[in-house]
Amino acid sequence: MDLPSVAGSSLLWIFLSSTLIWVITRAIYRVVTNPLSSIPGPQISKWSGVVLIYEWLVGRRALYVDSLHKKYGPIVRVAPDEVHINDLSAAREIHKVGGRYLKSKWYENLVPPGIVNVFTVSDPAYHSALRRLLAGPMADNQLKVFEPLITDRVRLAIRRIGEELEYRGAADIYKWWLFLATDVIGELSFGDSFRMLETGKKNQYILDLEVVSSFQPIRTTFPTLIRLARYVPLPIFRSVFESGRRMGMYAHQSVERYKKLLQAEPNYPKTLFTRFYNAGKEGLSDTEIRNGAAGYIVAGSDTTAVTLTYLNWALCRHPEIQEKLVAELQSLPEDFTDKHLRELRYLNNVIMEALRLYSAAPSALPRVVPPEGATFAGYYLPPGTTVCTQAYSFHRDPAIFPDPERFNPSRWDNPTKEMNYAFMPFGAGSRICLGIHLAWMELRLAVAHFYRAFPAARISTKEGMSDEDMKPKISFLMAPAGHRCLIEA
Ligand code: HEM
């Protein structure tokens, strides 16, 4: 080897090793001087969020974070720039109405690119303008106009469950509750139901919705990859892209069809968006109506269906609770309405307990620390830190809910102040669920009609159905791992 090439390779070696030392030293310096470095948590969280990402992708993030709270306390660092808090006063500050902790950009990646709606938007001025408009038709007293439609759909769901029990010997209630919730929100948003209860089958829109939902963990973890999906020649990416595109197209067509019907017949049945059509500057644009309606379908279908399914399952495992509920429901008149159901204490306690233990959105609700920074549980969080709370942990705090894993509706007879504060199945504050009253109405009607029709419902072991099917898989929403819940009656 000649002298210049030896000198050249030595220089290269010196350059590479000093670059490596510089990179490592810089990384260590950043980790050590990061203001979050004193926050308790696993060592790996100081360097990387890789464990958190892994748990998120496999549907166990909420459980992983809960185990960290048990080990490290009310505040834990889960990634270099992300902490979780399980402290009531912190949660009240983070989620308060008019608060400064905005939704992080993470929400925009939960849905297909380009969809901005009341759920995803982080700009507070735009959010409150949208929310002010949308809240009217969703108010408890305004929803009464939709009660006959919802009751009608619930009765149809009960009939279809009965038919499936006849010919199959068991009914998949997860499927039927999903069809119910999707048909209801479809009709209330687009003026036309998806007719899934009638056909007993999922249509293309719902299949697309499932693709979009099941890709939420990938979408939020690899947003750029998903944005480039249309150019990636792999079938899976193409199908994600196509699903998102078809959903947008369907929402557009549905809104246009409803507008035409409304022009031809001004008394055509109302939707949650009717008052905004042609409302001019003060109302919503067509795009906002379309994105809003599509958002309602995502937010209002799985959530309600999963709550109902786990409620049924919990009662199957506690026949004494089921009997008490059935006895209370027997006191109802034949033509009972939602007004009667609001007064049934045990029914409402059972629903509260199902929402506590089986919250459909139990995982992190990420928010961004405002420019002035924050101090929670004695630790300073710099501006821009992602701070998360999760219902999964609040709802299992033994200091607030004694014997937390026990399904015990009677705990809601006289709830403490802390129980009410810690109860967050619908989120809290300015971003609390917009569909909360609709969800409650659907839950009351569905549970009451179901247990009047099937007072002896019990879990089935047909077709290999077992508790394994009901193990929760949690990404942003929760679902039973087996995607089914077979019952007999
Ligand atoms: C049992 C059923 C339901 C549960 C457990 C549930 C849960 C939640 C939760 C936890 C949030 C807050 C998310 C966050 O802060 O990041 C939320 C927001 C929202 N939910 Fe629900 N939801 C349910 C039913 C519904 C229904 C039926 C609709 C119908 C349209 C709906 C529409 C929305 C909307 C639009 C938001 C965003 C509100 C905002 O950011 O201002 N939800 N929901």
Side-chain angles (χ1 to χ4, degrees):
M1 204 187 279
D2 60 2
L3 223 56
S5 71
V6 171
S9 61
S10 308
L11 271 177
L12 182 67
W13 191 87
I14 291 168
F15 172 74
L16 287 178
S17 47
S18 40
T19 306
L20 188 69
I21 291 169
W22 181 76
V23 168
I24 293 173
T25 315
R26 192 159 158 268
I28 294 174
Y29 176 78
R30 282 194 168 172
V31 166
V32 174
T33 57
N34 188 320
L36 300 180
S37 64
S38 60
I39 294 181
Q43 283 300 321
I44 182 79
S45 307
K46 294 187 175 176
W47 301 89
S48 155
V50 66
V51 177
L52 189 73
I53 290 171
Y54 170 76
E55 298 289 352
W56 169 239
L57 290 173
V58 297
R60 282 199 311 252
R61 174 180 166 141
L63 283 76
Y64 167 67
V65 169
D66 194 53
S67 74
L68 295 183
H69 279 309
K70 287 198 175 101
K71 185 164 175 191
Y72 296 104
I75 180 162
V76 284
R77 188 180 185 187
V78 290
D81 57 353
E82 191 165 342
V83 296
H84 256 266
I85 295 196
N86 194 38
D87 172 90
L88 279 189
S89 57
R92 293 184 74 191
E93 174 63 23
I94 291 166
H95 293 291
K96 78 179 175 198
V97 174
R100 295 176 42 76
Y101 293 76
L102 307 184
K103 275 194 175 179
S104 76
K105 292 281 175 206
W106 180 86
Y107 282 88
E108 287 172 14
N109 298 324
L110 268 179
V111 294
I115 293 196
V116 179
N117 59 33
V118 68
F119 176 71
T120 61
V121 68
S122 54
D123 172 31
Y126 184 43
H127 172 260
S128 59
L130 265 184
R131 178 128 187 160
R132 238 193 335 271
L133 287 170
L134 295 170
M138 281 292 206
D140 210 9
N141 54 356
Q142 298 293 311
L143 283 172
K144 275 200 202 83
V145 295
F146 299 114
E147 188 184 333
L149 182 150
I150 298 171
T151 306
D152 192 52
R153 295 284 140 200
V154 169
R155 286 184 198 278
L156 179 57
I158 303 294
R159 269 206 308 282
R160 301 307 313 265
I161 291 173
E163 285 162 18
E164 189 163 291
L165 282 167
E166 287 277 308
Y167 68 79
R168 187 177 174 185
D172 181 359
I173 45 163
Y174 179 49
K175 176 182 74 180
W176 292 112
W177 292 142
L178 190 59
F179 287 1
L180 167 71
T182 318
D183 274 358
V184 166
I185 196 63
E187 191 148 0
L188 296 192
S189 301
F190 293 138
D192 196 6
S193 113
F194 292 102
R195 295 182 213 289
M196 297 207 307
L197 285 168
E198 273 108 327
T199 60
K201 284 203 194 87
K202 296 176 181 178
N203 66 8
Q204 187 59 46
Y205 185 79
I206 299 306
L207 293 172
D208 287 339
L209 180 67
E210 282 182 348
V211 173
V212 167
S213 302
S214 61
F215 267 77
Q216 279 177 345
I218 306 265
R219 205 184 278 290
T220 49
T221 310
F222 309 107
T224 314
L225 201 60
I226 294 291
R227 242 173 257 126
L228 295 175
R230 74 160 94 182
Y231 309 111
V232 180
L234 290 175
I236 187 75
F237 287 106
R238 277 229 77 81
S239 106
V240 174
F241 172 74
E242 286 301 330
S243 303
R245 196 185 57 80
R246 275 198 301 269
M247 282 184 65
M249 203 173 66
Y250 181 87
H252 173 73
Q253 286 166 353
S254 303
V255 166
E256 288 305 309
R257 187 184 56 232
Y258 182 77
K259 270 167 71 175
K260 284 203 182 94
L261 289 168
L262 205 60
Q263 272 157 13
E265 171 52 85
N267 288 328
Y268 196 75
K270 290 196 172 10
T271 72
L272 293 165
F273 295 92
T274 307
R275 72 164 71 160
F276 306 121
Y277 290 110
N278 304 320
K281 275 209 301 242
E282 300 298 310
L284 297 172
S285 69
D286 284 0
T287 310
E288 286 167 327
I289 292 177
R290 195 186 66 207
N291 287 347
Y296 276 12
I297 312 281
V298 181
S301 48
D302 276 334
T303 45
T304 312
V306 164
T307 309
L308 282 169
T309 306
Y310 274 99
L311 184 150
N312 286 138
W313 183 63
L315 293 202
C316 287
R317 288 154 58 91
H318 296 279
E320 72 293 352
I321 296 176
Q322 185 165 322
E323 273 164 34
K324 194 167 165 186
L325 175 66
V326 167
E328 187 185 60
L329 294 172
Q330 272 160 2
S331 67
L332 287 169
E334 270 313 303
D335 57 348
F336 70 87
T337 63
D338 189 44
K339 189 162 176 283
H340 296 98
L341 300 180
R342 285 165 187 260
E343 280 150 30
L344 296 187
R345 189 165 184 180
Y346 202 62
L347 168 71
N348 286 285
N349 283 355
V350 167
I351 297 174
M352 290 286 281
E353 189 64 346
L355 287 165
R356 179 186 74 84
L357 210 45
Y358 305 111
S359 304
S363 198
L365 305 181
R367 301 292 189 266
V368 180
V369 172
E372 62 272 24
T375 301
F376 291 127
Y379 292 95
Y380 173 72
L381 309 183
T385 306
T386 300
V387 58
C388 308
T389 54
Q390 64 171 16
Y392 189 92
S393 297
F394 281 124
H395 292 180
R396 282 169 177 76
D397 185 337
I400 301 174
F401 299 102
D403 198 2
E405 291 297 339
R406 185 165 152 235
F407 187 83
N408 174 19
S410 301
R411 72 170 83 237
W412 293 103
D413 278 344
N414 292 302
T416 61
K417 216 165 53 183
E418 283 73 25
M419 282 167 76
N420 287 330
Y421 287 153
F423 184 68
M424 290 189 203
F426 294 102
S430 50
R431 305 304 296 251
I432 197 169
C433 177
L434 194 56
I436 184 168
H437 302 299
L438 174 61
W440 264 99
M441 187 191 280
E442 280 188 77
L443 293 173
R444 282 188 297 264
L445 287 166
V447 175
H449 282 278
F450 180 86
Y451 284 102
R452 299 235 326 161
F454 309 112
R458 61 193 181 281
I459 204 77
S460 175
T461 51
K462 279 201 162 59
E463 302 172 26
M465 170 75 203
S466 74
D467 283 354
E468 284 299 300
D469 287 287
M470 295 304 291
K471 281 211 170 131
K473 190 149 189 270
I474 306 173
S475 52
F476 185 68
L477 300 180
M478 175 170 91
H483 293 283
R484 63 175 183 171
C485 181
L486 298 186
I487 55 109
E488 293 175 30

